[in-house]
Amino acid sequence: NIKLDSVISDIMGVAGRAILGGLIAGERDPERLAALAKTPIKATKAQLAAALTGRVRENHVILLRLHLEQIAALEGAIATIDQEVEKKSAPFRQLIDILDSIPGIGPLAASILLSEIGTDMSRFPSHAHLISWAGMCPRNDESAGKRRSTRMRKGAPWLKTVLIQCAWAAIKQKGCYFQAQYRRLKARRGAKKAIGAVAASLLTCAYHMISNGTYYEDLGADHFEKRQSEGRQIKKLVERFAALGYDVEIKPITA
């Protein structure tokens, strides 16, 4: 009968747990419960006290205690698994650090990538074979010369999920190649296709970095502009101005 989650985004955080602990201990005064939140939160003490005004009965306290005990047990199990994963990952620490240098990929994602694709890239003749095996490329759904679908083919589900999550994180880093790639493709193919292409690029980087034992070196946000010839860049800019309703005459600047 209280509305704690309306004023605290994470009720399992430090402030939320302190208040829940006070309720279990028998405290019912809203202002005293609000004072238990020592860590900074967006809500004021008055708003917190108003949210804690309600009827907390004995059966509510029993259920609350049971829920917190279940959460504590799950957290303990997760901590045990994390320790075991950390122990098993020790021989591959250098490769994890190498993959961690890729934008959007952290230590946990790097461990998952290694567990899914392994450390021996000689099993894949090229990065394209790895991308195909992972299901990060469009499936071959063509009939009578017409492509009916460009959806990704089925592959390793855990690997694809992690790569897509890493791709969303990578495009948020300003001035990096992946952000430029996403913006370039999104304008023509849409957000889903663009993020899939970024995920495939991340896997391509992982393939070559694991094979060569090298760290990531970003190509830069202006990589695609550098690849274009001067004439092509001029043509694209003129086309943009024409689309906006302007007629442009190109003249070279005299020295």
Side-chain angles (χ1 to χ4, degrees):
N1 298 313
I2 61 175
K3 298 180 179 179
L4 184 59
D5 60 344
S6 65
V7 290
I8 297 180
S9 59
D10 182 14
I11 60 174
M12 288 294 102
V14 177
R17 284 178 183 261
I19 294 172
L20 294 176
L23 287 170
I24 292 175
E27 183 61 64
R28 297 293 179 267
D29 184 77
E31 294 184 356
R32 291 181 181 178
L33 287 171
L36 294 175
K38 304 296 183 181
T39 55
I41 57 176
K42 291 183 179 180
T44 63
K45 294 295 182 182
Q47 292 174 332
L48 191 55
L52 290 169
T53 302
R55 294 176 300 166
V56 180
R57 299 175 180 175
E58 184 179 356
N59 60 311
H60 298 145
V61 175
I62 294 173
L63 291 174
L64 183 59
R65 185 184 294 111
L66 289 174
H67 289 323
L68 291 179
E69 288 175 356
Q70 290 177 348
I71 291 173
L74 292 173
E75 289 175 343
I78 292 173
T80 301
I81 293 173
D82 286 341
Q83 291 176 1
E84 190 65 22
V85 170
E86 184 68 23
K87 187 191 305 181
K88 299 295 184 182
S89 301
F92 312 103
R93 179 53 52 192
Q94 184 178 2
L95 286 177
I96 291 175
D97 292 340
I98 287 175
L99 294 179
D100 187 20
S101 65
I102 304 176
I105 296 181
L108 178 59
S111 300
I112 296 174
L113 285 176
L114 286 177
S115 66
E116 290 291 330
I117 66 178
T119 59
D120 182 14
M121 294 297 101
S122 63
R123 296 181 300 156
F124 305 100
S126 68
H127 69 269
H129 288 79
L130 174 58
I131 291 174
S132 178
W133 173 82
M136 298 304 299
C137 58
R139 60 184 179 182
N140 187 17
D141 189 1
E142 189 173 320
S143 177
K146 294 182 179 180
R147 176 165 289 186
R148 297 186 296 181
S149 175
T150 57
R151 295 185 64 182
M152 285 186 180
R153 55 189 298 182
K154 294 182 179 180
W158 297 107
L159 179 59
K160 290 176 68 174
T161 301
V162 171
L163 286 172
I164 294 296
Q165 291 177 347
C166 291
W168 283 115
I171 64 173
K172 294 180 181 179
Q173 296 198 21
K174 295 182 179 179
C176 78
Y177 166 82
F178 299 113
Q179 186 181 69
Q181 182 190 21
Y182 174 77
R183 290 177 175 175
R184 178 171 175 265
L185 294 175
K186 181 184 176 182
R188 296 186 289 110
R189 305 298 303 277
K192 288 186 177 180
K193 293 283 195 308
I195 206 66
V198 173
S201 295
L202 289 175
L203 188 57
T204 300
C205 289
Y207 172 86
H208 291 290
M209 291 166 65
I210 293 174
S211 299
N212 303 324
T214 55
Y215 285 82
Y216 177 78
E217 293 184 8
D218 197 87
L219 296 175
D222 58 348
H223 172 72
F224 296 103
E225 295 179 1
K226 290 180 179 178
R227 287 177 54 187
Q228 295 179 356
S229 63
E230 181 180 352
R232 189 175 179 184
Q233 291 186 43
I234 293 173
K235 181 181 177 182
K236 284 190 124 183
L237 291 173
V238 170
E239 289 176 351
R240 287 185 183 180
F241 276 111
L244 294 172
Y246 294 94
D247 186 14
V248 180
E249 183 180 355
I250 306 297
K251 291 183 180 180
I253 299 176
T254 56

